[in-house]
Amino acid sequence: MGVAAIVLLCIAAYTLATYALPFMLGLAAARFAYHTGSGLIGAGIVGLIAGAVAFGLLVFLFETLRPPILRLIVALVFAIPAAIAGYALIHGIARDAVPSEIWRQIFCVIGGLVVGISALMRLAAPAAGRSPQVAR
């Protein structure tokens, strides 16, 4: 049962890894709005807008920037929070399933790397599918 749960959570993490940073930014904006007195509905709206704007801005930057180093920086801004989320996800499940601390850390690091790399691949996938522009 534990292995099935790990597999299902890894699939969910792989699917949602690209959105880890915008989600956390939206959550932070919602918490800030709530603590400044906006109420639950207002905080939800602020968080949703902040997350959507963050995602749109980062995807726009990734698509429009041409220097490879700048594109790599934007991609890492997406991938690092996804890798941390993958590590935490595997650690939460492996904490009870794997008795050895060394093997638990090995599984967690591998899970974080896989989720981070999948976020990079998902981010780069739309750019790879475009046809090259013809010079005029």
Side-chain angles (χ1 to χ4, degrees), residues 16-120:
L16 300 174
T18 307
Y19 309 109
L21 177 67
F23 175 76
M24 291 307 294
L25 290 175
L27 186 63
R31 288 182 64 199
F32 176 75
Y34 182 75
H35 288 299
T36 56
S38 70
L40 251 130
I41 295 173
I45 291 170
V46 167
L48 185 65
I49 291 171
V53 167
F55 180 73
L57 178 66
L58 289 171
V59 168
F60 174 75
L61 286 174
F62 186 78
E63 292 293 325
T64 57
L65 292 175
R66 292 294 161 222
I69 190 72
L70 293 177
R71 287 175 61 101
L72 177 65
I73 290 170
V74 171
L76 288 176
V77 165
F78 265 102
I80 290 172
I84 293 170
Y87 176 91
L89 175 76
I90 300 301
H91 188 272
I93 296 209
R95 177 181 53 220
D96 295 330
V98 180
S100 170
E101 180 66 30
I102 294 172
W103 280 105
R104 187 177 321 136
Q105 290 300 319
I106 290 171
F107 290 144
C108 293
V109 168
I110 291 171
L113 286 174
V114 168
V115 171
I117 290 170
S118 71
L120 281 174

